[in-house]
Amino acid sequence: MKVEIVTVRDGEEAVVEFDYARRSEDERPMVLDVLLQAQATTMPDLAFRYGCRARNCGVCTIDVNGRPIIACRARAREGDRLSPMATLPAVADLVVRRDGIARQMRGRLQTAQGNDLNVEAPEEYHELTSCIECYACLNKCPMHMRNFEGGLPGDMDPADRPDPAEGYRWGNPFSLLKLQMIRLDPLTAESGREAALDNAIDLGLDACVGCPGCKCGVGIDLKGLVVKALVDAAGDRLPSPAEKALKRAS
Amino acid sequence: MKIEIEWQDYDVIVVGSGGSGGQAARAAADAGANVLSVSKDPVGASDTKISEGIATVRGSGAEDDTEDVLSENLKMAGGDLPVRAITDAFAKDSTSAYDRYRTQGLRPTIKEDGSGPEARPLPFGGHTRRRSVGHKNSGIAFGHANWNAIVQGNRVDYIEDAWFLDLVTEDVSNGSGPKKKIVGGLIYDAARGVLIAVRAPSVVIAAGGLSSLYFPNTDTMRGNTGDGYAIAARAGADLVDMEQVQFLPFCLASPPAYEGLCAGEPVMASYLGVLRDKNGKIILDSVFLRTRAECAAAILRAVEDGRGSPNGGAYLDMTANKELPLSGPYFQRFGETCLPSSYNTARQALGKKAAKFEEPWEVRPGAHYHMGGIRADANGASAGGEGDGDAAHGIAGLFTAGGAMGGVFGANRLGSTSLTEGAVFGGRSGQAAAAHARETWGRNRDAAFQPAIDQVNRRFGQKGTLAAATLKLELQQEAWKNIGPVRTAEKLDRMDGLIAECTARLDEVAIPAYGMWNQAFIEFQELRNLLDCAKAVADAARERDGSLGGHVRFDRKTISAFSKPYSTVVRLNDDGWQVARLERERTPMKRLISYKVEDTKRKIQLKWLRMLPKGVKDRKLLARYQAIMGKGAVEKVSAPAISIGSAEAATGESTRA
């Protein structure tokens, strides 16, 4: 099975063809199996992230044919093109720099404020804790793209890109999910709930108005459980879809 | 090549951002220290996050679960190798440490009377009480809490994609003679292509695990390259019980993408589960009362005798539970919910029939956890000296927690204890590290960093013909064969030769001359750590002259629980690797005997149960399941434990657009 792997070394990009040798006739390898075999054979210094091989750690996300997938649980197919996630700046081969996302949450996370820890969280809370932070949801997110002048990091001159070490200015479905978790947690005080909503608006929640919606790598209903919940709570504080369309037209 | 170097100052560096590192960083910061959390994987992406998410919470399932009961349980299960002060600390803090996770967002299911978290229905293998609390979304729920603990800020800074290379120490002299103290550490920040020299009086090593020393694959994170042990050993710290590698017995043997992932624990086998060889002969009964080590050893003996399954394992046969008409449905429900994440993996890999427990599962052991580690006191401070040792004889300013710490579990770790371990000793070591930083005055000489910096600069741009990643794979395969789940004197000798050979080849590894994410350098550094760990494991394994817990010698007898217990200790000094024994206190004979009697009694009762006529057996089991799970357990609408939207909605799991 032949695939193409995009590699970046010391800033130089190249596309390398790799021929995967199936270990049995009926083997349907995952994308990660292909990368591991490439590393064990012809590309020993291939840089890529992986962790648990079981879709739990969330670090092995790469783009296959231009769409983000979790490499350990997505099957590879003949002719696939493997490249680093386009939504974050590439560092080496298939490795992207992720930390600009988490850093934007610094100072925005609330810890529990209630005294009695023995309270049950609602089912929605647990649906959100199934997020593995794979960042597949950044794909086509207009809020996230504001960080890169409305495009992708690759479209910008590296010198003009925002510094991830500062934390990105604009949010994304993952950061909204973390904020919505705070809002759903029964141990969060009312003030904490309000702060979480303020933070969502500050991170650019208005970008969600009129957006067709985000897709989750592990299948969480981001649009319903996160985005709609926050947009509804924000109410008048966000422009309506009509106002937004008008603004765009002018 | 000279890499750009940055200097930074902190009170405490925490190496590793998993369960123990997250809790240590938070505890140190809450105690007033300025903390730097460093991890090579993205923040919080750790074994805690990918675990089954079940924690030991004392008292959650039994009224009489006193501190003494839990501490003694851990110590005896560990073959009397654990340090009693450490198991006492575990028992004392298990509940409060778990509650810290709850303040960071962990939300368990609460008992109906609202008194606390609900424990799983059966005691986990080797536990004398019910006290294991499970969580929705398994370890991922803990991952969120840890992430919150670090990312929130509040005096914790963090860097990810950064390899902590070595500790920097200085020699000092105190009342008990010459001694080393920590002055900081050197970090390779791969994402920015710079070296960071951090001046800090305290360092907490919370980067445990060495299962990536072994290939075939395991159920743990790729990053488990033994960094914590190797870094501490190179700084002169004692490592204890390094021969005690825990192999999970029931990992999947196929298909390749699932190989090594955990399919279940002994408890899952329930009352009637047994292990069989390829001829169908029972090689271990009463599986659910056995420790992981007992199960792994039984499988490997069958493999070694040529009675193993096609992929080098044995069969976990739980069909007898399922075929009983009344209790069978209860068992099905139990099997699905006992370890939901493992069950899910097994279902995907083995198919529908296996998922209904209608056919045996092919399983084989896989490296999972390392019981050995940095020798420490009950606060995680590096310890040295005779017997249980003390911090006065350790490295001043060095602390450890979680999988990196030794002396907690000795020869065997019970299921569900590691998340609690990370929380308890993360909290303790963080506080102790902050206190040490407060007491330490004076600026250190930056000159102490120079040898470590020079060493790194020499490696970048090293000419050679070998790839570290390739050598790593060779080492992993040999480690599995020679210092893996089965060991003999001959194997240990062979391993020594291989380690020497591979170490000599480190100078022939090609490393290009650029700073930004230099994968060859990263592989080189991890290989170096793996080699130090392999040496420590091999030396300790030779010293441990008989089978005990995770250390299985096929050419020696099993060490009796009634003999005088000892731990192995290895250290690296100017004369090379040294190995010695540390005497441990044996549990009083009376207690030891009653523990054994209890254990035997439970196994005999189970044997009786198995031999009863089918109808009687079925009714007895039905009563038991109903007692532990509730009468309506099978009628309940089965809510999936991992409540993701739907497989179709998971865009990350298909390359189909």
Side-chain angles (χ1 to χ4, degrees), chain B residues 46-121:
Chain B
S46 69
D47 277 338
T48 292
K49 180 177 177 183
I50 70 169
S51 72
E52 194 52 80
I54 304 177
T56 297
V57 181
R58 188 179 61 77
S60 58
E63 299 262 321
D64 62 346
D65 191 8
T66 61
E67 286 181 22
D68 249 7
V69 166
L70 173 54
S71 179
E72 189 176 73
N73 193 178
L74 291 172
K75 184 149 166 61
M76 279 197 272
D80 264 338
L81 269 48
V83 175
R84 182 71 199 225
I86 294 179
T87 57
D88 281 352
F90 183 107
K92 183 164 181 279
D93 288 6
S94 85
T95 315
S96 58
Y98 174 76
D99 282 351
R100 280 199 298 275
Y101 261 123
R102 295 212 271 168
T103 64
Q104 293 152 5
L106 184 72
R107 297 285 168 264
T109 300
I110 305 295
K111 280 183 231 174
E112 271 178 22
D113 65 3
S115 62
E118 174 86 46
R120 283 284 147 103

Side-chain angles (χ1 to χ4, degrees), chain B residues 2 86-87 137 244 305 378 439 466 484 503 558 567:
Chain B
K2 270 198 177 170
I86 294 179
T87 57
N137 297 312
Q244 294 294 344
D305 293 352
E439 291 155 11
L466 300 174
T503 306
T558 298
S567 274

Side-chain angles (χ1 to χ4, degrees), chain A:
Chain A
M1 181 199 304
K2 286 197 176 69
V3 300
E4 288 176 354
I5 304 177
V6 176
T7 63
V8 183
R9 296 290 158 82
D10 202 14
E12 294 290 313
E13 189 176 305
V15 180
V16 179
E17 191 166 277
F18 178 71
D19 195 357
Y20 181 83
R22 284 196 171 84
R23 286 167 285 190
S24 63
E25 257 177 52
D26 58 350
E27 190 195 359
R28 294 167 61 220
M30 306 294 179
V31 173
L32 180 59
D33 293 323
V34 174
L35 295 175
L36 288 170
Q37 192 180 88
Q39 188 191 45
T41 55
T42 55
M43 304 170 77
D45 292 342
L46 182 66
F48 59 98
R49 295 183 195 275
Y50 78 99
C52 67
R53 304 188 306 127
R55 209 225 57 177
N56 283 328
C57 73
V59 307
C60 68
T61 320
I62 62 167
D63 279 357
V64 171
N65 308 324
R67 218 171 48 79
I69 55 92
I70 301 165
C72 68
R73 280 295 169 266
R75 311 256 180 210
R77 286 187 298 169
E78 187 74 35
D80 277 347
R81 184 187 168 93
L82 282 41
S83 57
M85 245 192 296
T87 46
L88 290 169
V91 177
D93 297 349
L94 300 163
V95 175
V96 294
R97 191 145 171 204
R98 294 170 43 117
D99 65 335
I101 302 294
R103 281 186 203 285
Q104 70 184 190
M105 298 306 286
R106 200 180 155 93
R108 300 184 198 265
L109 295 164
Q110 202 89 31
T111 45
Q113 293 154 333
N115 292 323
D116 181 10
L117 292 171
N118 293 326
V119 283
E120 200 90 36
E123 204 48 44
E124 290 92 340
Y125 183 84
H126 296 299
E127 293 203 31
L128 300 191
T129 55
S130 64
C131 166
I132 62 169
E133 207 189 344
C134 70
Y135 294 167
C137 59
L138 303 183
N139 193 32
K140 296 184 183 156
C141 172
M143 194 193 305
H144 176 65
M145 283 157 85
R146 285 181 182 173
N147 294 308
F148 310 102
E149 297 171 343
L152 294 166
D155 303 335
M156 291 176 77
D157 189 309
D160 298 335
R161 282 180 207 153
D163 182 4
E166 302 290 318
Y168 291 136
R169 167 66 188 87
W170 303 104
N172 53 73
F174 168 76
S175 49
L176 296 184
L177 174 138
K178 290 300 282 193
L179 293 170
Q180 180 60 9
M181 274 176 70
I182 294 173
R183 287 170 43 79
L184 288 171
D185 186 343
L187 290 179
T188 305
E190 192 48 42
S191 60
R193 239 167 240 138
E194 281 165 19
L197 184 61
D198 291 347
N199 279 316
I201 293 169
D202 182 52
L203 287 171
L205 187 62
D206 59 293
C208 300
V209 176
C211 173
C214 25
K215 286 191 173 144
C216 171
V218 297
I220 299 169
D221 175 17
L222 289 172
K223 206 179 158 183
L225 291 174
V226 177
V227 175
K228 187 173 182 303
L230 287 166
V231 168
D232 286 353
D236 293 351
R237 298 175 67 190
L238 299 178
S240 71
E243 283 164 353
K244 221 177 147 183
L246 207 63
K247 204 175 156 197
R248 216 175 299 140
S250 64

